[in-house]
Amino acid sequence: MSTLTLYTNPQSRGRIAHWMLEEVGQPYETVWLDFGPAMRTSQYLALNPMGKVPALQHGEVVVTEAPALCAYLADAFPDSNLAPPPGSPARAAYYRWLFFTAGPLEMATTARAMGWAVPEGKSGMVGFGSYERTLNAVESALQRGPYVCGEQFTAADVYLGSALIWGMMFGSIDKRPLFEAYAARLGERPAAIRVNQINNERIKST
């Protein structure tokens, strides 16, 4: 079996990848990297030329970007049941909300955090349209079931849930009741509890 190695930092999007690995339940190794020079060595830049985390090495395969990493692990380990069947309506929702989170939601919350305002009449030129419309779209998706694909917890929940949890924590996402209930439900998962313990202990030890 090829070794899974996660390159991460406890105060980064690497927690998303780390959570996904815990959900998959396969053995993995963790390489903790500090921000700065450690992420700009020639060895690490060969894995991720962006010089950031997370990055996952699986044998000869290298995957970067948290949503891609979540989707890759769900496909690489189908027995984990973290992706709906191909061609199903749930699979369509799975793709939709993975990409929506990586696109409109990421941009809307970044713009809010940075204080960037879309000029009047220019909302059609940005992928998220407006902050309110973006959050309303996510809220509508979560009204259909306990998870974004309905009854099945998937890798899309790892990614979307992480975005909502962190966004509400730092004020870039409004604390809507549906979001808070969803975040609380995800936070009770054993894998989420484990990964938070691991990362929080790492922060304390450094």
Side-chain angles (χ1 to χ4, degrees):
M1 182 181 295
S2 298
T3 300
L4 286 162
T5 303
L6 174 68
Y7 297 82
T8 187
N9 180 287
Q11 295 177 297
S12 74
R13 288 178 175 83
R15 280 208 193 203
I16 303 171
H18 210 158
W19 179 9
M20 186 64 190
L21 281 166
E22 286 291 327
E23 291 285 354
V24 166
Q26 297 293 319
Y28 65 90
E29 298 176 358
T30 306
V31 177
W32 301 101
L33 295 178
D34 293 330
F35 292 111
M39 294 186 190
R40 294 194 292 271
T41 65
S42 58
Q43 292 90 342
Y44 187 67
L45 290 175
L47 296 175
N48 188 354
M50 292 290 286
K52 62 186 185 69
V53 291
L56 178 74
Q57 191 164 18
H58 185 204
E60 296 182 356
V61 173
V62 176
V63 187
T64 65
E65 313 316 314
L69 198 151
C70 288
Y72 172 81
L73 286 170
D75 287 344
F77 301 99
D79 289 346
S80 63
N81 198 34
L82 290 167
S88 67
R91 184 74 167 214
Y94 172 81
Y95 287 133
R96 179 182 182 184
W97 297 108
L98 271 174
F99 283 94
F100 188 92
T101 304
L105 184 60
E106 170 84 8
M107 190 65 241
T109 54
T110 298
R112 182 182 176 92
M114 296 294 183
W116 300 335
V118 178
E120 186 73 26
K122 300 292 186 180
S123 63
M125 297 179 66
V126 294
F128 64 93
S130 75
Y131 177 81
E132 285 299 321
R133 285 166 58 189
T134 301
L135 294 198
N136 289 345
V138 174
E139 192 167 33
S140 70
L142 294 177
Q143 288 172 346
R144 300 167 192 165
Y147 304 113
V148 76
C149 295
E151 295 297 322
Q152 180 186 1
F153 174 86
T154 70
D157 293 295
V158 172
Y159 189 54
L160 173 60
S162 295
L164 293 181
I165 290 166
W166 282 84
M168 288 189 291
M169 184 184 303
F170 292 106
S172 60
I173 291 179
D174 295 341
K175 292 183 177 180
R176 300 185 178 187
L178 198 63
F179 295 168
E180 291 183 306
Y182 177 63
R185 194 156 52 247
L186 297 184
E188 293 173 352
R189 294 185 64 81
I193 293 170
R194 284 195 304 272
V195 84
N196 283 326
Q197 289 174 338
I198 293 168
N199 282 267
N200 291 340
E201 284 299 321
R202 176 66 186 182
I203 290 171
K204 291 177 183 177
S205 68
T206 56

